[in-house]
């Protein structure tokens, strides 16, 4: 935005606020329309926070940050923008755990969603239904708080992310995937209803049956159609403890065969997988699964094979099933072909298991390794090409370069529980793998690490592997069209319908060049 536009905007906003303030004073001095001006923050601290995210790669500076205390504040802000001859952009920001500026709004207004959370300290942000089948949850709420609140009733959501300090609105704008998705689908498949503030500033309740077009648009919709104010999340009886098993493989084809077998029989309650590389010392993982003796054994295997694959599976239990769970885990393991003896089991509470990444966060923070650049690449890889992907990416690129640090995740999930009417995009195969190349770098070297990502994407392109990016990041319209494939027209039509002036979540850069 150039300087003269700024001036016009400022004059317009002064005129608007004056108009509103007069109207408000006449009608009702405590009107929210009047309140919204006071809730815009321009101070360095607010601006700095909204100009950065977990990626530390993009830095877009907003004009101001809205600290809403009520959803009406957001409605008013969006309506105001729509009234301006040149509308300003608006981006909801949850925890800012995006890695490519998807939560930012250059010269626009960022809505600090966590400000709403402050208003709900009295517990009104998460309400469990009397039937116990669902909870109504504010879009600004963190999944850790949803877990905590629902557990008070012995209940919990069924589909998770690995890390729980993410907002409900933020993950539902993407998909929300983890090791439970093969059983229940992603988090977006476990939403019954939402209240959404559209790009026109309309407050709309939607579900599969009511205003369904908006409902399907918003789920996986990258923030393009509306701001999620409330979501009704499916609940089920929560277990109290889990058996958590890690098994090591050196042969990728046996590893993936076992993973696919386990999800097809729906044996475990959770299944993931990860890579261990020989250039990273085993003790750097500080894994509570491994004794020092185990670490030395694993090191020898790594010397021999270069890469090891870890299959991670979990079986939930509670008092009633406590005497059966060991047998059940044994039964599942009996059919598997991991390296003999290389199986490690822990018995922890359900909360400690779900909240496992928090421990890593605390450790990384204490080493100054949390607030660093994260050139992450998350991909959905069709099952038919996962062997090529292993050879071309894990072996030939990542292992050869010996540069990447950070978790490398690989596990299969099924498409059956994804609803194709939603905006979220997956490959066109019943089974696909979630691959997370979660590199952590420094402010000096992140470009080099990002080049590896480009190399990976180029390899997939050359090899004809039809991957889809998860938490996508593209810079050209052509790439977005390719990403959405047959969904592109619907996505565009929905944009024209719900956010015709294209003001929402500009940091996603979907409609940048349109
Ligand atoms: C350590 C870590 C682990 C992670 N693990 C997983 C994982 O296991 N599985 C997984 O699926 N993802 C995972 N993620 C990614 C996570 O889902 C995304 O970062 C997501 O964006 C949620 O973060 P957030 O709530 O901070 O949203 P933000 O980054 O603040 O926002 C994300 C997008 O959603 C929009 N948005 C935010 N709030 C709303 C709202 N209420 N309504 C509409 N749009 C909104 C924003 O404008 C932006 O475009 C992980 C991220 C981190 C940092
Ligand atoms: C909780 O706080 C919200 C927001 O301030 C308010 O609207 C609501 O009435 C409060 N609820 C209770 C039970 O105090
Ligand atoms: C869960 O809620 C309880 C009671 O409100 C609180 O004491 C506890 O700290 C919360 N735990 C987490 C992990 O937030
Ligand atoms: C792991 O360590 C435990 C205790 O030191 C030992 O009993 C077990 O055999 C070890 N397993 C492997 C594969 O090293
Ligand atoms: C709003 O965002 C779009 C990208 O979505 C961008 O093209 C446009 O220039 C932005 N508008 C303003 C006024 O900054």
């Amino acid at each position: 935005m150039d300087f003269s536009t700024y001036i016009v905007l400022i004059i317009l906003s002064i005129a608007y606020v004056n108009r509103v303030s007069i109207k408000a004073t006449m009608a009702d001095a405590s009107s929210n329309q009047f309140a919204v001006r006071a809730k815009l923050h321009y101070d360095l601290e607010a601006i700095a926070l909204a100009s950065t995210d977990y990626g530390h790669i993009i830095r877009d500076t907003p004009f101001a940050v809205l600290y809403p205390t009520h959803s009406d504040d957001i409605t008013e802000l969006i309506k105001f923008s729509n009234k301006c001859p040149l509308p300003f952009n608006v981006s909801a920001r949850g925890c800012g755990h995006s890695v490519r500026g998807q939560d930012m709004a250059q010269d626009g207004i960022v809505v600090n969603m966590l400000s709403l959370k402050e208003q709900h300290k009295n517990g009104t942000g998460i309400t469990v239904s009397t039937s116990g089948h669902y909870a109504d949850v504010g879009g600004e709420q963190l999944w850790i708080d949803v877990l905590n609140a629902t557990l008070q009733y012995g209940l919990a959501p069924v589909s998770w992310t690995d890390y729980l300090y993410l907002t409900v609105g933020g993950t539902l704008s993407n998909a929300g995937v983890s090791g439970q998705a093969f059983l229940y689908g992603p988090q977006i498949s476990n939403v019954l209803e939402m209240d959404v503030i559209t790009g026109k500033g309309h407050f709309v309740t939607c579900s599969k049956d009511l205003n369904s077009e908006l409902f399907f648009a918003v789920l996986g919709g990258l923030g393009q159609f509306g701001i999620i104010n409330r979501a009704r999340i499916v609940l089920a009886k929560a277990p109290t403890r889990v058996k958590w098993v890690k098994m090591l493989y050196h042969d990728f084809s046996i590893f993936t065969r076992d993973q696919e077998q386990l999800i097809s029989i729906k044996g475990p309650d959770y299944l993931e997988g990860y890579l261990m590389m020989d250039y990273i010392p085993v003790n750097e993982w500080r894994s509570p699964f491994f004794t020092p003796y185990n670490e030395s054994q694993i090191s020898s295997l790594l010397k021999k094979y270069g890469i090891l694959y870890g299959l991670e599976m979990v079986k939930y239990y509670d008092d009633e099933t406590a005497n059966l769970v060991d047998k059940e885990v044994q039964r599942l393991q009996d059919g598997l072909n991991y390296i003999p003896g290389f199986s490690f089991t822990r018995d922890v509470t359900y909360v400690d298991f779900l909240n496992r990444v928090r421990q890593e966060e605390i450790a990384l923070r204490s080493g100054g390794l949390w607030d660093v650049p994260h050139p992450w690449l998350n991909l959905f890889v069709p099952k038919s090409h996962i062997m090529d992907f292993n050879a071309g990416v894990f072996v030939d690129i990542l292992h050869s370069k010996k540069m990447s640090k950070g978790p490398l995740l690989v596990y299969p999930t099924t498409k059956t529980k994804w609803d194709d009417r939603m905006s979220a995009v997956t490959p066109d195969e019943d089974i696909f793998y979630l691959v997370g190349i979660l590199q952590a770098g420094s402010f000096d070297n992140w470009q080099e690490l990002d080049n590896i990502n480009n190399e990976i994407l180029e390899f997939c392109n050359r090899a004809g592997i039809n991957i889809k990016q998860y938490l996508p990041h593209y810079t050209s319209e052509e790439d977005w069209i390719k990403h959405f494939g047959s969904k592109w027209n619907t996505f565009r039509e929905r944009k024209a319908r719900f956010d015709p002036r294209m003001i929402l979540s500009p940091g996603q850069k979907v409609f940048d060049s349109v």
Side-chain angles (χ1 to χ4, degrees), residues 35-48 50 62-69 108-110 112 115:
V36 78
R37 180 181 57 165
K39 294 173 191 173
L40 287 174
H41 290 214
Y42 305 86
D43 55 285
L44 284 178
E45 202 186 322
I47 299 287
F63 175 65
V65 184
L66 177 71
Y67 281 68
T69 57
I109 294 184
V110 167
N112 184 330
S115 163

Side-chain angles (χ1 to χ4, degrees), residues 4-295:
S4 60
T5 322
Y6 246 112
I7 298 295
V8 170
L9 222 163
I10 289 166
I11 292 169
L12 272 171
S13 42
I14 293 168
Y16 174 84
V17 173
N18 280 341
R19 206 173 66 226
V20 170
S21 78
I22 294 160
K23 219 166 78 188
T25 318
M26 286 191 305
D28 167 15
S30 66
S31 148
N32 272 306
Q33 289 187 325
F34 183 61
V36 78
R37 180 181 57 165
K39 294 173 191 173
L40 287 174
H41 290 214
Y42 305 86
D43 55 285
L44 284 178
E45 202 186 322
I47 299 287
L49 178 72
S51 314
T52 165
D53 65 17
Y54 190 71
H56 291 289
I57 289 170
I58 306 291
R59 178 171 281 274
D60 287 344
T61 318
F63 175 65
V65 184
L66 177 71
Y67 281 68
T69 57
H70 193 276
S71 58
D72 291 350
D73 298 336
I74 303 172
T75 310
E76 282 315 310
L77 181 80
I78 295 178
K79 281 194 174 146
F80 174 33
S81 176
N82 273 280
K83 278 181 209 151
C84 294
L86 180 70
F88 54 83
N89 287 328
V90 174
S91 189
R93 183 184 197 272
C95 298
H97 277 124
S98 291
V99 295
R100 301 277 176 176
Q102 286 96 333
D103 40 7
M104 298 178 193
Q106 177 69 39
D107 301 328
I109 294 184
V110 167
V111 180
N112 184 330
M113 295 298 288
L114 296 186
S115 163
L116 283 174
K117 204 164 114 60
E118 288 297 303
Q119 299 309 307
H120 291 299
K121 281 220 166 120
N122 60 11
T124 50
I126 304 164
T127 317
V128 175
S129 70
T130 45
S131 70
H133 293 324
Y134 58 80
D136 283 307
V137 177
E140 74 288 350
Q141 296 293 320
L142 305 187
W143 286 101
I144 181 68
D145 297 321
V146 178
L147 175 64
N148 199 351
T150 52
L151 278 180
Q152 319 283 327
Y153 300 84
L155 303 167
V158 293
S159 185
W160 294 97
T161 47
D162 294 349
Y163 177 58
L164 305 184
Y165 293 74
L166 304 169
T167 64
V168 169
T171 70
L172 295 185
S173 297
N174 289 293
V177 282
S178 184
Q180 295 89 359
F182 77 93
L183 282 175
Y184 300 101
Q187 291 181 322
I188 51 172
S189 296
N190 294 282
V191 179
L192 301 173
E193 186 182 284
M194 287 183 291
D195 289 334
V196 173
I197 303 164
T198 70
K200 290 178 170 174
H202 297 158
F203 188 98
V204 182
T205 299
C206 59
S207 68
K208 279 191 173 125
D209 306 312
L210 178 72
N211 298 309
S212 58
E213 193 67 21
L214 180 63
F215 182 77
F216 294 128
V218 165
L219 294 169
L222 308 177
Q224 295 305 299
F225 311 102
I227 295 186
I228 300 166
N229 184 57
R230 172 186 65 97
R232 179 166 285 181
I233 309 289
V234 173
L235 301 179
K237 184 170 180 284
T240 51
R241 300 191 66 86
V242 316
K243 293 283 180 190
W244 185 2
V245 187
K246 293 192 181 189
M247 294 159 275
L248 299 185
Y249 295 72
H250 63 82
D251 182 320
F252 188 72
S253 74
I254 296 175
F255 166 72
T256 49
R257 200 176 63 206
D258 278 358
Q259 283 187 318
E260 288 173 21
Q261 159 74 6
L262 286 168
I263 67 165
S264 77
I265 61 166
K266 299 189 165 50
D269 292 301
Y270 160 102
L271 179 133
E272 287 200 2
Y274 63 99
L275 278 77
M276 295 173 94
M277 298 277 195
D278 57 359
Y279 63 88
I280 296 175
V282 176
N283 63 12
E284 265 192 33
W285 274 289
R286 291 179 301 267
S287 169
F289 280 81
F290 307 138
T291 63
Y293 173 69
N294 294 158
E295 284 178 358

Side-chain angles (χ1 to χ4, degrees), residues 435-447:
V435 173
I437 300 167
L438 311 181
Q439 303 192 81
S442 67
F443 289 90
D444 302 327
N445 80 343
W446 70 262
Q447 276 105 336

Side-chain angles (χ1 to χ4, degrees), residues 248 289-298 301 339-344:
L248 299 185
F289 280 81
F290 307 138
T291 63
Y293 173 69
N294 294 158
E295 284 178 358
S296 69
Q297 297 295 97
I298 296 170
L301 280 184
I339 305 169
F342 284 82
S343 162
F344 309 87

